[in-house]
Amino acid sequence: MTLLSNILRFLSGDAQADRVVPPTGFTARLTVFASAAMAFLAVFALAFSLATGRLADRWGDALAKSATIRISAPADQMDAQLLAVTEILATTPGVKEARPLGEDEQRALLEPWFGPDLPLDRLPIPRLVEVIEDDEGFDAAGLRARLAGEAPGAILDDHARWREPLVKAATRLRSLGLVAIVLITALAGVVITLAASAALSANEQVIRVLRLIGARDSYIAHAFVRRYTLRALAGAAVGTVMGALALFLLPSAGAEGGFLTGLGLQGWQWLWPLVIPLFAALVAFLATRQAALTTLQEKR
Amino acid sequence: MIELEQVAYGYGTGTLLSDVTMSLAQGSFHFLTGPSGAGKTTLMKLCYGELVAEQGSVALFGQNVREMQRDDVAEVRRRIGVVHQDCQFLDHLSLAENIMLPLTVSGRALHDPSELQELLAWVGLQQQANAKPPELSGGERQRAALARAVIMSPDVILADEPTGNVDWDMSVRLLQLLVELNRMGKTVMIATHDMNLIRSAKSQVQARVLRISNHQVTAAGANL
Ligand SMILES: Nc1ncnc2c1ncn2[C@@H]1O[C@H](COP(=O)(O)OP(=O)(O)OP(=O)(O)O)[C@@H](O)[C@H]1O
Ligand SMILES: [Mg+2]
């Protein structure tokens, strides 16, 4: 409550107090522009992080799911081989669950390709066993070797595995996106500190006069800090809107639309960019206050 | 109010003031004279904490300057009105805003807004209230500086050459303002070269004259 009222008082400010520091045209425009540009970049870094995060999650889920064992054998050996496979799987470490697909399930899988009237019982259709891994995962090469020995018609298809490096890459990309956000934030802090320091030294005489007539450091610092915080807030708001608009206007492809077109934000994620201007204002506040108090310490 | 004990100061180019012991008692009226470059402005700066004594101690309202926090310095300066020799205005604000600035920065306002008009009238600046300081003559700036120094109704007024650039009639007028304030109990010190001003004050107020010579501050005799 006090924090909120402090913030409100800070933002509403004291018009007279603002006027004691002369307008600083050049650094002012510089600050607004820099904040806008960095907010724009931050929107993309954010979207990038969220998109790669989604990708990693999606692919990671698929990975966790399953592998399939396909048994192709003459009809009279089918049951024997199925039994052998089930027994092998029961003793394979890393297998959480193994389940032969029923006839109905297989029919459902094939229906889209061959239509509903498929005479499954009369066709040499391979039987499928769904294998669900536990967290450790099984040793695919070892399992293949055992299958080849005991159920020659069984083939392990761990199609999801090729995605593993991709998931790793996507996770890494997400971290890179976060690093980019941190760097942009740091850069915003640096730029605003430089602009504020320049303004402070340009106003050395003003600060001297204010001190001489009894102004406290906090009063003088406040005049600068408020100004730069509001500029960063305004600039970042504009930059964020532009960035979000650019994302919004990206041509969208479906869920499978690949990586680049998946860069947009989804649903509640559109709320994330709202944080950027507030965060920029916070960075500006801290950076300017630090610069102002440091500069003031050197004077009497 | 202001006490200096064996104070020494120099700007790194040698001693300017040494072994200065003096005190401005409440309600006292002092003149400070001495040749140009003797250190009058420097002594004033020691008296409002812009400079810190190299040796000895300066106490403002009982607080040792060397031990004051920055906010204490600000607080003390609100109780000491200073006419700086080089005026020190904010050039982007109007004269009236500059005069009101001590009130502004301490979050105060005049009890009665007409006080500002009266003060401007006294120093002859009603016409210039909205002008910017760089548009004014040296004498006008000095009058404005005096107005700013007294606007807070401070306990102590330190005026460094307040009449340096004004004609004799205006000098008398400004002196009268300071004398009036002194009668109200304010402590006043005026640095000046103008012996006529000192003489004319002597008929109105019990003024003591301090002279800086040979790095020392001494009480000047009655025979000016
Ligand atoms: N900031 C400074 N750095 C170095 N030397 C200084 C500084 N300020 C003043 N001085 C020197 O100190 C000496 C005293 O200066 P001060 O301004 O106190 O003299 P003053 O008595 O007020 O002279 P005036 O009557 O001309 O105003 C001068 O020789 C001046 O050159
Ligand atoms: Mg001087």
Side-chain angles (χ1 to χ4, degrees), chain B residues 11-202:
Chain B
Y11 287 100
T13 50
T15 309
L16 186 58
L17 297 170
S18 82
D19 199 18
V20 173
T21 299
M22 59 177 260
S23 105
L24 303 183
Q26 180 168 7
S28 63
F29 197 111
H30 285 87
F31 284 102
L32 181 62
T33 63
S36 178
K40 298 183 293 298
T41 300
T42 306
L43 185 65
M44 290 263 182
K45 287 181 176 174
L46 288 163
C47 289
Y48 57 84
E50 185 175 359
L51 297 176
V52 181
E54 284 166 354
Q55 286 166 36
S57 70
V58 176
L60 309 180
F61 306 107
Q63 296 180 72
N64 188 330
V65 169
R66 210 172 278 126
E67 286 156 15
M68 279 188 208
Q69 303 293 309
R70 294 177 61 77
D71 279 356
D72 298 336
V73 173
E75 212 58 57
V76 157
R77 284 177 182 165
R78 294 175 188 186
R79 298 177 63 188
I80 304 178
V82 180
V83 178
H84 303 271
Q85 192 169 12
D86 46 2
C87 293
Q88 307 281 4
F89 291 114
L90 297 187
D91 290 346
H92 64 287
L93 297 182
S94 73
L95 201 65
E97 286 172 318
N98 266 292
I99 290 171
M100 300 281 281
L101 206 54
L103 291 164
T104 309
V105 302
S106 54
R108 293 209 253 149
L110 286 175
H111 295 301
D112 180 356
S114 68
E115 284 174 37
L116 176 65
Q117 291 310 317
E118 278 172 34
L119 188 56
L120 283 172
W122 188 265
V123 297
L125 289 173
Q126 302 109 299
Q127 309 301 317
Q128 287 84 356
N130 294 317
K132 297 279 156 68
E135 300 159 7
L136 299 175
S137 76
E140 286 167 337
R141 273 206 295 276
Q142 249 170 355
R143 279 135 67 188
L146 182 60
R148 187 183 66 183
V150 303
I151 192 104
M152 290 272 273
S153 185
D155 298 325
V156 179
I157 298 157
L158 303 177
D160 196 351
E161 308 273 5
T163 59
N165 290 313
V166 299
D167 58 52
W168 176 248
D169 287 347
M170 183 48 82
S171 296
V172 171
R173 214 173 147 79
L174 297 184
L175 178 66
Q176 207 182 328
L177 176 64
L178 292 169
V179 168
E180 284 302 325
L181 288 166
N182 178 247
R183 287 197 178 126
M184 290 162 62
K186 313 292 185 194
T187 308
V188 176
M189 179 159 76
I190 303 172
T192 184
H193 294 114
D194 190 344
M195 290 304 152
N196 289 329
L197 190 74
I198 298 177
R199 276 184 216 109
S200 88
K202 288 236 155 178

Side-chain angles (χ1 to χ4, degrees), chain A residues 10-118:
Chain A
F10 174 77
L11 289 177
S12 62
D14 164 1
Q16 187 60 40
D18 268 7
R19 299 226 322 114
V20 302
V21 178
T24 44
F26 181 60
T27 52
R29 269 169 277 149
L30 214 63
T31 315
V32 174
F33 174 74
S35 311
M38 284 190 271
F40 188 82
L41 294 178
V43 170
F44 281 93
L46 192 67
F48 183 76
S49 267
L50 290 170
T52 46
R54 279 200 305 273
L55 210 62
D57 286 349
R58 204 160 66 213
W59 287 350
D61 279 354
L63 246 192
K65 250 178 215 148
S66 62
T68 320
I69 291 175
R70 184 159 33 93
I71 308 166
S72 318
D76 54 333
Q77 288 174 30
M78 188 58 102
D79 286 346
Q81 289 215 13
L82 183 60
L83 194 67
V85 165
T86 329
E87 269 165 13
I88 290 170
L89 287 173
T91 58
T92 304
V95 172
K96 191 167 157 199
E97 200 187 321
R99 188 177 63 87
L101 294 189
E103 219 165 76
D104 294 344
E105 284 173 288
Q106 294 210 187
R107 189 189 301 279
L109 279 178
L110 294 171
E111 214 177 73
W113 277 273
F114 299 107
D117 306 325
L118 195 65

Side-chain angles (χ1 to χ4, degrees), chain A residues 156-277:
Chain A
L156 172 65
D157 179 4
D158 57 347
H159 52 266
R161 293 212 161 204
W162 63 270
R163 286 178 160 168
E164 200 175 287
L166 287 184
V167 174
K168 277 213 185 98
T171 314
R172 192 75 53 81
L173 282 174
R174 169 163 52 181
S175 322
L176 283 179
L178 292 177
V179 168
I181 290 176
V182 169
L183 286 179
I184 290 170
T185 306
L187 208 57
V190 168
V191 169
I192 291 168
T193 303
L194 288 177
S197 300
L200 284 159
S201 16
N203 286 302
E204 195 138 4
Q205 180 59 16
V206 171
I207 292 172
R208 190 178 128 77
V209 172
L210 290 174
R211 277 297 296 176
L212 281 179
I213 59 169
R216 293 184 182 193
D217 285 354
S218 55
Y219 181 89
I220 302 170
H222 186 268
F224 285 93
V225 170
R226 181 167 177 277
R227 196 174 279 193
Y228 278 85
T229 304
L230 291 179
R231 276 176 199 156
L233 183 67
V238 171
T240 302
V241 168
M242 307 264 271
L245 211 62
L247 273 187
F248 187 71
L249 295 179
L250 275 183
S252 72
E256 300 305 316
F259 173 69
L260 264 181
T261 49
L263 194 56
L265 299 170
Q266 290 175 2
W268 60 268
Q269 290 181 340
W270 283 101
L271 293 178
W272 268 113
L274 291 182
V275 176
I276 292 176

